[in-house]
């Protein structure tokens, strides 16, 4: 039981302290790929802690169901409080079973909902990709980026949607406004999203936010990871083309209409060139310093390593000197 409580306490700590720390560390997008990894590590640590707590509590109850209740509660929590050393009766035994079933049910139901949301997002994205391919016309680019589908629309927009294969959609207004280097940079940006499978990350974080909206870590991660993925695609496009082309294309697309208007036209799973954190991305492109970015990435790497290492370290401490907290392991 103590293992489950420790895991739940750890997950609560990450959920509360993780968002402000990670938001501060990734505020300027110095190393966006590492920032995405740090956010995903925190999310994985919380989800893993929940699943492990449910399993630990189930195993604890199963191993001690036929034993006196002193064995069920004879862990470090009871040792500290020194409240019981005998049988607690059937009421306490039922409460322990109910707690285990409630935690297992919570994890199972939420897990099914998250998976269902990801599957539905994938189907919606695939339908949109097929519709765009039927309605639009192909635009082949010689730069090596993904071929795009041009649809007639007065808004300047470019975005990609996952499918088999993924599709890059560019409006006719965007094609008319961009020169050839800028258009190539935009296509490379969207191609970077598809090649990096960023849509899977976005679908997962969006599903977590929708399913568990009151968890601050998930809500903050969905918003921040979306911005960092755009920065990752900016860097990839700037590596294939000039940084100036990416910057001017971003300004051209974002200056036509407001972000809210453009985003209202796109499906939830779409990743658009000019829909998120335009000001921050422009600042990054103007003030590019790879050495500074690498130096700023050190705290991110340390935080991600700490979040991932704490559960493993806790197990080692228990194994080598605090085994009393885990009565069913030894």
């Amino acid at each position: 039981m103590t293992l489950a409580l420790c895991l739940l306490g750890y997950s609560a700590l990450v959920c509360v302290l993780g968002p402000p720390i990670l938001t501060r560390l990734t505020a300027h997008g110095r190393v966006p790929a590492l920032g995405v990894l740090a956010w995903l590590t925190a999310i994985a640590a919380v989800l893993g802690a929940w699943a492990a707590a449910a399993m630990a509590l189930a195993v604890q109850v199963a191993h001690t169901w036929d034993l006196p209740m002193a064995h069920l509660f004879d862990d470090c929590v009871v040792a500290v409080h020194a409240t019981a050393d005998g049988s607690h009766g059937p009421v306490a035994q039922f409460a322990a079973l109910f707690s285990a079933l409630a935690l297992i049910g919570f994890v199972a139901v939420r897990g099914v909902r998250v998976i269902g949301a990801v599957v539905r997002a994938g189907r919606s994205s695939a339908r949109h990709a097929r519709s765009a391919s039927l309605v639009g016309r192909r635009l082949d680019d010689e730069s090596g980026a993904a071929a795009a589908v041009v649809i007639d629309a007065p808004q300047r927009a470019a975005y990609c949607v996952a499918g088999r294969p993924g599709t890059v959609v560019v409006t006719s207004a965007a094609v008319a406004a961009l020169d050839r280097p800028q258009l190539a940079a935009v296509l490379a940006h969207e191609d970077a999203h598809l090649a990096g499978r960023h849509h899977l990350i976005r679908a997962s974080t969006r599903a977590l936010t929708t399913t568990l909206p009151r968890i601050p870590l998930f809500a903050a991660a969905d918003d921040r990871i979306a911005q960092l993925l755009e920065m990752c695609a900016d860097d990839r496009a700037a590596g294939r083309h000039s940084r100036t082309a990416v910057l001017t294309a971003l300004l051209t697309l974002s200056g036509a209409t407001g972000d809210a208007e453009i985003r209202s036209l796109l499906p939830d799973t779409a990743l658009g060139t000019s829909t998120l954190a335009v000001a921050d991305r422009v600042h990054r492109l103007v003030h590019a310093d790879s050495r500074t970015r690498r130096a700023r990435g050190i705290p991110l790497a340390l935080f991600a390593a700490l979040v991932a290492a704490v559960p493993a370290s806790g197990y080692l401490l228990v194994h080598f000197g605090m085994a009393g907290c885990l009565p069913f392991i030894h």
Side-chain angles (χ1 to χ4, degrees), residues 188-211:
H189 175 101
E190 301 304 333
D191 186 54
H193 281 314
L194 294 174
R197 299 191 177 278
H198 294 170
H199 55 279
L200 296 178
I201 300 176
R202 281 305 320 278
S204 300
T205 57
R206 179 64 60 84
L208 285 171
T209 303
T210 303
T211 306

Side-chain angles (χ1 to χ4, degrees), residues 8-303:
L8 292 176
Y10 166 74
S11 67
L13 189 66
V14 175
C15 285
V16 173
L17 298 182
I21 294 175
L22 284 171
T23 299
R24 183 179 180 84
L25 291 177
T26 60
H28 302 290
R30 302 297 184 183
V31 189
L34 187 57
V36 172
L37 178 61
W39 279 104
L40 293 179
T41 299
I43 292 174
V46 170
L47 297 178
W50 289 353
M55 293 177 60
L57 193 56
V59 172
Q60 176 74 346
V61 172
H63 278 233
T64 58
W65 182 252
D66 293 330
L67 299 177
M69 290 304 296
H71 290 276
L72 179 60
F73 290 95
D74 188 19
D75 52 21
C76 61
V77 173
V78 175
V80 172
H81 293 88
T83 57
D85 57 1
S87 175
H88 291 263
V91 175
Q93 193 173 34
F94 174 79
L97 177 61
F98 178 80
S99 299
L101 294 177
L103 181 57
I104 295 171
F106 172 82
V107 173
V109 170
R110 297 300 176 176
V112 170
R113 289 185 179 180
V114 169
I115 294 174
V118 172
V119 172
R120 287 192 298 272
R123 291 175 178 173
S124 175
S125 181
R127 286 195 300 269
H128 188 89
R130 288 193 298 269
S131 299
S133 298
L134 292 174
V135 174
R137 59 186 183 276
R138 302 294 296 182
L139 173 67
D140 295 322
D141 184 75
E142 298 176 358
S143 64
V149 173
V150 181
I151 60 174
D152 293 324
Q155 294 83 12
R156 301 176 188 175
Y159 60 94
C160 65
V161 286
R164 295 187 178 179
T167 302
V168 176
V169 180
V170 185
T171 63
S172 56
V175 174
L178 298 171
D179 60 26
R180 190 176 185 83
Q182 292 171 343
L183 181 58
V186 168
L187 295 180
H189 175 101
E190 301 304 333
D191 186 54
H193 281 314
L194 294 174
R197 299 191 177 278
H198 294 170
H199 55 279
L200 296 178
I201 300 176
R202 281 305 320 278
S204 300
T205 57
R206 179 64 60 84
L208 285 171
T209 303
T210 303
T211 306
L212 298 166
R214 296 186 180 181
I215 304 298
L217 175 65
F218 298 158
D222 181 46
D223 180 65
R224 190 58 195 162
I225 286 177
Q227 299 177 22
L228 292 171
L229 290 176
E230 292 298 334
M231 295 176 184
C232 289
D234 286 341
D235 290 346
R236 183 76 175 271
R240 298 177 61 176
H241 303 278
S242 68
R243 190 170 295 274
T244 301
V246 178
L247 176 60
T248 55
L250 178 60
L251 292 174
T252 299
L253 292 181
S254 62
T257 54
D259 287 354
E261 181 180 349
I262 295 177
R263 294 182 68 178
S264 67
L265 302 174
L266 308 185
D268 291 338
T269 53
L271 293 157
T273 299
S274 60
T275 57
L276 288 172
V278 173
D280 290 340
R281 291 161 59 195
V282 168
H283 185 271
R284 288 182 73 253
L285 292 169
V286 172
H287 303 89
D289 188 342
S290 59
R291 290 178 297 181
T292 302
R293 290 184 183 183
R294 286 194 293 269
R296 293 292 182 89
I298 295 176
L300 266 177
L302 292 176
F303 180 85

